[in-house]
Amino acid sequence: MTEYQDDEIIKVENLKKSFGTNEILKGISFSVKKGEVLGIIGPSGSGKSTILRCISQLEDVSGGSISICKLPLVTDGLYSDKKLRHEIILKSGLVFQNFNLFPHYSVLQNVVEPQIRVLKKTKQEAKEKAIEILNRIGLGERLVNYPCELSGGQQQRVSIARALAMEPQVLLFDEPTSALDPELTGEILAVIKELAQEKMTMVVVTHEMAFARDISTKIIFMDGGVIVEQGEPSEVINRPKEDRTKAFLSRFSNV
């Protein structure tokens, strides 16, 4: 039986994922406590995004265990029943690389409709929540605009607002700035930093090393489907112990 610490939000044990004969995750284990920000870094193809897709049920695992808020999503490769899986999926919110907004919905509708359909809120309740969050992240004047009328940075902020409106226990960010021009990256990083200061539990897959160091309470460096090194950000990024970590970080001049 899995033992949980009181404040654990995510617990991953010996997580494995293969596509055919290609083993993407080779027995990954870690946990995230309430209020922590876990930064996951590493080269393309190392399995970073696959972890998030397994946690958010976009990919089925090949083996191992995942629990969210002490609820078992999958145990030793066997999934819980459909009802519990649905309860678990509401505990986390995933912010994608490419926004995934509904193009035919306004900014306000993109944040309101999921609350009505999934959380069964009234239209008025959902609207009030949406406006509150959109004002908070600086989009209060864009409520009637459509995604095509927004910059990439604004679209990503709508995506974050939509995730927050679902009242998750943990937010998962999959390379949230990778689809943005460099000048728009800062506004998204600022929003995530503010959430971190508010002690929102988060897992952030990112290629922004300085950002990962500044925002995270813990860093995981992955390569080849395994965790090569993990620890406090100042240790992993500024004083890495493993040769693979050192080689990866040597590519970046801003850390």
Side-chain angles (χ1 to χ4, degrees):
M1 180 178 292
T2 298
E3 293 185 4
Y4 302 102
Q5 295 186 26
D6 288 343
D7 53 354
E8 272 181 339
I9 299 296
I10 294 177
K11 190 176 186 69
V12 173
E13 297 176 292
N14 199 30
L15 177 61
K16 298 178 181 178
K17 175 62 182 176
S18 297
F19 294 100
T21 58
N22 188 14
E23 196 175 14
I24 305 298
L25 298 176
K26 303 175 182 178
I28 300 293
S29 298
F30 65 87
S31 64
V32 184
K33 295 180 180 179
K34 184 176 177 60
E36 284 188 334
V37 180
L38 173 65
I40 305 180
I41 62 173
S44 298
S46 59
K48 308 185 301 297
S49 295
T50 303
I51 291 176
L52 298 190
R53 293 180 66 83
C54 289
I55 291 172
S56 57
Q57 303 185 44
L58 294 176
E59 298 284 359
D60 287 338
V61 310
S62 303
S65 304
I66 300 173
S67 299
I68 300 178
C69 298
K70 303 180 186 176
L71 300 177
L73 170 62
V74 56
T75 305
D76 295 330
L78 298 176
Y79 277 90
S80 296
D81 61 59
K82 188 176 180 180
K83 182 179 179 182
L84 185 56
R85 288 181 68 171
H86 179 71
E87 182 181 349
I88 290 169
I89 205 168
L90 298 179
K91 302 289 185 183
S92 65
L94 178 60
V95 178
F96 296 89
Q97 297 179 21
N98 296 312
F99 323 136
N100 281 35
L101 300 176
F102 296 110
H104 57 293
Y105 282 176
S106 69
V107 166
L108 185 60
Q109 287 174 306
N110 262 285
V111 184
V112 165
E113 288 299 322
Q115 297 181 69
I116 295 173
R117 295 185 184 186
V118 180
L119 300 183
K120 308 304 181 186
K121 288 188 176 183
T122 67
K123 187 172 183 179
Q124 185 60 33
E125 287 173 335
K127 185 176 179 181
E128 288 175 1
K129 184 73 172 180
I131 291 173
E132 173 200 335
I133 295 172
L134 288 164
N135 278 328
R136 176 178 156 198
I137 63 172
L139 290 174
E141 297 181 356
R142 292 287 193 170
L143 302 183
V144 300
N145 289 106
Y146 288 83
C148 64
E149 299 173 313
L150 304 179
S151 70
Q154 290 169 331
Q155 290 183 60
Q156 190 61 294
R157 278 190 279 161
V158 177
S159 178
I160 293 171
R162 180 179 59 188
L164 286 170
M166 301 302 288
E167 301 172 357
Q169 295 296 304
V170 58
L171 275 181
L172 311 172
F173 290 89
D174 185 12
E175 298 277 16
T177 61
S178 66
L180 302 178
D181 294 331
E183 63 267 22
L184 298 176
T185 295
E187 64 184 82
I188 300 306
L189 300 185
V191 171
I192 299 173
K193 280 186 177 181
E194 184 177 333
L195 292 172
Q197 290 167 357
E198 295 171 1
K199 299 300 182 182
M200 181 74 198
T201 309
M202 295 185 282
V203 180
V204 183
V205 169
T206 182
H207 60 278
E208 302 277 349
M209 295 303 111
F211 170 67
R213 179 188 58 204
D214 293 344
I215 195 177
S216 303
T217 52
K218 182 167 62 177
I219 291 278
I220 284 175
F221 169 67
M222 290 187 62
D223 194 12
V226 300
I227 294 175
V228 176
E229 190 165 351
Q230 61 182 309
E232 293 185 4
S234 59
E235 290 295 320
V236 174
I237 292 183
N238 294 113
R239 292 180 292 278
K241 296 180 177 64
E242 301 296 328
D243 288 341
R244 276 199 280 176
T245 316
K246 293 174 183 177
F248 173 75
L249 291 170
S250 69
R251 308 172 195 172
F252 300 90
S253 58
N254 64 336
V255 296

